[in-house]
């Protein structure tokens, strides 16, 4: 079981790095928003895997809070993009 958890964490860390590259190099603002959402989803997943690996139940509370914060951030970004995004006045 430890090998599976280690492989999962390594794959999620690699995905986290690739998503961060997309966040930095994204050609448009919606691409960056999607990359940021992917980053938050991967972080929630990694905390969940760590909670399973360490058998600490309080980490699951952290994942719930992180997921709720990521959801609220996605709503905020969606409203921002819906209203036209950044304006150059």
């Amino acid at each position: 079981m430890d090998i599976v958890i280690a492989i999962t964490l390594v794959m999620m860390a690699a995905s986290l790095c690739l998503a961060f590259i997309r966040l930095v190099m994204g050609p448009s603002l919606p691409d960056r928003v999607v990359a940021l959402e992917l980053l938050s989803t991967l972080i929630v997943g990694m905390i969940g895997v760590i909670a399973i690996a360490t058998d600490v139940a309080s980490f699951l509370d952290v994942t719930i809070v992180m997921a709720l914060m990521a959801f609220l951030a996605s709503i905020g970004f969606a409203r921002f993009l819906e209203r036209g995004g950044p304006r150059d006045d």
Side-chain angles (χ1 to χ4, degrees), residues 37-89:
E37 293 300 314
L38 180 60
L39 280 172
S40 63
T41 303
L42 286 169
I43 289 171
V44 168
M46 288 180 81
I47 294 172
V49 170
I50 291 170
I52 293 170
T54 59
D55 202 25
V56 176
S58 61
F59 282 155
L60 295 177
D61 296 335
V62 174
T63 58
I64 292 171
V65 171
M66 288 287 297
L68 286 173
M69 287 177 25
F71 173 71
L72 291 175
S74 68
I75 298 297
F77 283 131
R79 289 184 62 100
F80 176 71
L81 291 177
E82 182 182 62
R83 294 186 180 179
R87 294 187 176 89
D88 296 328
D89 291 337

Side-chain angles (χ1 to χ4, degrees), residues 1-15 45-46 49:
M1 186 69 163
D2 292 334
I3 295 172
V4 173
I5 290 173
I7 291 172
T8 303
L9 287 174
V10 167
M11 290 176 64
M12 290 179 98
S15 299
M46 288 180 81
V49 170

